[in-house]
Amino acid sequence: MKFTAVAATCLSLFSQVLGEINVAGPSSSKVTLPATFKPPQVFKNVNLVHVISLEKNYAKESINVLIENASSEPQDEYFVPFTSDQMERIGGFEVKDRKDASVTGFVVEAVELDRLSDTQYYRIRLPAPLPAKGQQTLGISFYYLNSFAPLPAAIQQSEKQYLVYEFSAYCQSAYPTLKQKTEVKLPSSDVPDYTKIAGSGEAKEFPQKQGSKLTYGPFPELPAGAVSPAKVRYEFTKPVTHVSLYERDIEVSHWGGNVAFEERYTLYNHGANLSAQFNRVKWAQSQYFNPQSYALKELKIPLRVGSKDAYFTDAIGNVSTSRFRSNRREAVLELKPRYPVFGGWKYPFTIGWNADSKNFLRKKSGDSYLLKVPFIEGPKQPEGIAFEQIQVRVLLPEGAENVKFYTTIPQSAITDFTVDLQRTYLDTIGRTVLTIKARNLVDDFRDRDLIVSYDYSLVASLRKPLIIFSSMMTVFVGMWAISKVNVKFSTK
């Protein structure tokens, strides 16, 4: 789809999206309800399939459920329960219609109850009220960060790493479920331990193991709130890469025709710690046959075609162990940290690059402009990467006004946004800066769009050149005036 068509569609959503975010306030998109609140039993889950994917270093859960309105009145509010601990780690909550992709308008909000209560909710507003006995198939997906625990917690640098994940064999639901099953997808078939429960029907015991997949169920009718605690321990000899703080600056220059990107990472490996001191000699020897390791050795960051002037620095300075490839087909920045990042280790670093503004910036009409950039980019790793706190800053030219934005990341992930001024070199009133804060996103949301609309008049664009010109003229005139002053002593 052409950029202009996408931009026109997104602009039509600006007023609605911004209005919803303003209502949410700086904390998050939340609705406050009494501490005694219990979801009314107006729905029932006719058939539910719960899929838990542990193939990357974060947990992704998908709930495909056929819901039915069990009341005599139309209903449009469906609640999904979570524990208080899960609410702190959940992110990327999205809902769609599984049978009709054209159905949009699902609104997701976190319900705020008494913080001492262990049960919290997300509320889903359906695009249209569901009539009595009406049915709809929902596809609900979300992610959990910081959800694994290495077991053993400390291992040798050449050992295999095993992770433990806790879940419920019954999908948590605020409504009765007539039929359901839970599938657990693992990265390998090396699964030494997992919870076993009594089966039903022809199956005497659950789960049924097929290669790297465990299947609990199908289960018969279960009441609302039913849970069955379970855990699985599986082999994951890959880095558990976690970015606690991801800061991304996007600086737009109209005069230079350039968009400058800079990203700052506070990166951790949440895998197993080393049980002994790191042995660099042993590490160097092992690299000749390149064994699988839970240490982070390199990062690959695909950039937009046409990117240039890439750099890689850390707390010490420039890091030379990087490679930047840019041609007509691709642009890839390959990074190698100064040391392998084992479990429990930290590595903060900064990367940046430039790009031609014509690839991201369009003039809409008159003095209006549209900027379309990825909300997050970052590394693209086979094992995945999680971002806990995200801050995206868009630095617009001095004098930019009427700033609006739209993004395709889940609205529930946005916690705050502001529009401020920041003074830099040769500025008078300062540059307009849009700051968006989000939390608990993963690399599955890489390249989701951020579209910024703003007005930038000709007068504003000429402000800085005129200020520079007038300042230089003032200096020259001042020097000329000083040169005409006669400072000699009179001979009379």
Side-chain angles (χ1 to χ4, degrees):
M1 185 181 291
K2 293 184 178 179
F3 178 87
T4 53
V6 175
T9 303
C10 295
L11 278 176
S12 66
L13 299 173
F14 276 158
S15 57
Q16 177 183 356
V17 172
L18 291 178
E20 292 168 351
I21 296 174
N22 281 328
V23 171
S27 57
S28 65
S29 178
K30 287 188 177 180
V31 178
T32 304
L33 292 175
T36 56
F37 170 79
K38 296 291 182 183
Q41 297 299 292
V42 295
F43 287 102
K44 63 180 178 181
N45 303 321
V46 178
N47 190 18
L48 185 150
V49 178
H50 182 205
V51 181
I52 303 173
S53 176
L54 307 179
E55 296 166 306
K56 293 191 175 183
N57 58 33
Y58 48 78
K60 178 182 179 181
E61 298 203 10
S62 302
I63 302 173
N64 301 319
V65 55
L66 174 62
I67 64 172
E68 180 179 312
N69 183 358
S71 72
S72 59
E73 300 291 333
Q75 302 292 334
D76 67 348
E77 292 185 354
Y78 184 88
F79 291 86
V80 182
F82 296 95
T83 65
S84 299
D85 177 63
Q86 289 173 333
M87 288 292 282
E88 292 298 319
R89 297 182 289 107
I90 196 171
F93 196 108
E94 292 186 302
V95 184
K96 61 182 179 181
D97 190 302
R98 288 285 296 177
K99 289 190 175 180
D100 189 354
S102 64
V103 175
T104 59
F106 292 96
V107 178
V108 177
E109 299 165 311
V111 176
E112 188 174 82
L113 302 177
D114 183 1
R115 294 187 179 275
L116 298 178
S117 173
D118 189 50
T119 303
Q120 309 288 329
Y121 298 93
Y122 267 91
R123 182 176 71 180
I124 301 172
R125 281 191 178 274
L126 305 179
L130 201 61
K133 305 299 181 182
Q135 294 185 339
Q136 187 170 11
T137 304
L138 302 182
I140 304 169
S141 62
F142 49 88
Y143 301 81
Y144 286 127
L145 276 68
N146 299 318
S147 53
F148 303 126
L151 186 67
I155 58 178
Q156 296 287 338
Q157 67 185 52
S158 58
E159 281 189 86
K160 286 185 177 182
Q161 175 180 256
Y162 289 86
L163 301 180
V164 174
Y165 181 72
E166 298 182 359
F167 60 100
S168 172
Y170 303 154
C171 180
Q172 298 178 84
S173 178
Y175 309 98
T177 304
L178 304 186
K179 182 182 178 182
Q180 69 165 293
K181 69 175 180 178
T182 296
E183 297 179 356
V184 183
K185 296 181 178 180
L186 302 162
S188 72
S189 58
D190 186 358
V191 188
D193 300 302
Y194 51 86
T195 300
K196 298 177 182 179
I197 61 176
S200 62
E202 297 180 358
K204 296 182 179 180
E205 185 181 71
F206 290 141
Q208 296 176 337
K209 187 175 185 295
Q210 295 178 330
S212 60
K213 184 173 77 171
L214 304 177
T215 303
Y216 290 85
F219 298 108
E221 183 174 354
L222 294 170
V227 294
S228 177
K231 65 173 63 176
V232 59
R233 178 173 174 261
Y234 60 97
E235 187 259 331
F236 191 87
T237 311
K238 301 175 185 177
V240 185
T241 311
H242 180 89
V243 177
S244 63
L245 178 60
Y246 170 78
E247 297 174 293
R248 174 171 164 87
D249 289 351
I250 304 164
E251 186 173 348
V252 181
S253 172
H254 280 237
W255 279 98
N258 185 72
V259 179
F261 297 86
E262 183 172 279
E263 298 181 344
R264 296 176 293 279
Y265 296 78
T266 304
L267 182 145
Y268 292 86
N269 185 343
H270 281 180
N273 294 333
L274 286 174
S275 59
Q277 272 194 329
F278 170 61
N279 188 324
R280 182 167 287 278
V281 174
K282 187 176 180 181
W283 173 261
Q285 290 173 342
S286 68
Q287 297 313 296
Y288 286 103
F289 51 92
N290 195 27
Q292 194 172 21
S293 173
Y294 66 100
L296 180 64
K297 298 184 289 185
E298 63 178 359
L299 295 165
K300 292 186 178 181
I301 305 175
L303 305 177
R304 294 294 178 93
V305 174
S307 299
K308 56 186 178 181
D309 306 328
Y311 58 89
F312 171 33
T313 63
D314 59 15
I316 298 175
N318 182 62
V319 184
S320 60
T321 53
S322 63
R323 180 187 177 194
F324 179 57
R325 295 184 286 111
S326 181
N327 51 50
R328 294 181 179 180
R329 295 178 298 173
E330 63 176 0
V332 180
L333 179 58
E334 299 175 352
L335 311 178
K336 286 190 176 181
R338 293 182 186 273
Y339 48 85
V341 184
F342 280 91
W345 291 14
K346 173 184 176 182
Y347 187 67
F349 64 93
T350 300
I351 61 172
W353 64 94
N354 292 314
D356 197 323
S357 63
K358 68 181 181 182
N359 297 327
F360 303 97
L361 190 63
R362 296 289 186 273
K363 188 170 184 178
K364 182 191 169 192
S365 62
D367 297 331
S368 297
Y369 291 85
L370 286 174
L371 176 71
K372 181 183 177 184
V373 293
F375 188 85
I376 60 175
E377 288 188 82
K380 190 173 184 179
Q381 302 289 104
E383 67 274 7
I385 185 168
F387 303 91
E388 185 172 352
Q389 298 292 336
I390 301 101
Q391 177 179 285
V392 177
R393 296 198 314 156
V394 182
L395 289 83
L396 300 172
E398 186 177 26
E401 299 175 326
N402 192 26
V403 179
K404 300 177 183 178
F405 77 95
Y406 169 77
T407 178
T408 53
I409 68 166
Q411 182 193 336
S412 58
I414 298 176
T415 60
D416 191 18
F417 76 93
T418 58
V419 178
D420 299 308
L421 294 177
Q422 175 178 307
R423 286 185 172 85
T424 55
Y425 300 108
L426 301 174
D427 284 344
T428 52
I429 61 174
R431 303 189 65 166
T432 305
V433 180
L434 168 65
T435 303
I436 306 171
K437 294 182 179 180
R439 64 189 294 268
N440 294 353
L441 292 176
V442 298
D443 59 350
D444 280 0
F445 296 102
R446 196 180 185 279
D447 296 333
R448 291 284 186 101
D449 291 330
L450 169 62
I451 298 179
V452 181
S453 167
Y454 62 95
D455 296 337
Y456 187 51
S457 65
L458 178 62
V459 174
S461 65
L462 293 175
R463 177 185 284 112
K464 185 169 288 186
L466 290 175
I467 290 296
I468 296 174
F469 177 77
S470 59
S471 299
M472 296 299 294
M473 289 301 298
T474 301
V475 171
F476 291 145
V477 170
M479 293 179 63
W480 173 81
I482 292 173
S483 68
K484 294 300 181 181
V485 176
N486 188 0
V487 295
K488 294 181 179 180
F489 291 102
S490 175
T491 55
K492 294 183 181 179

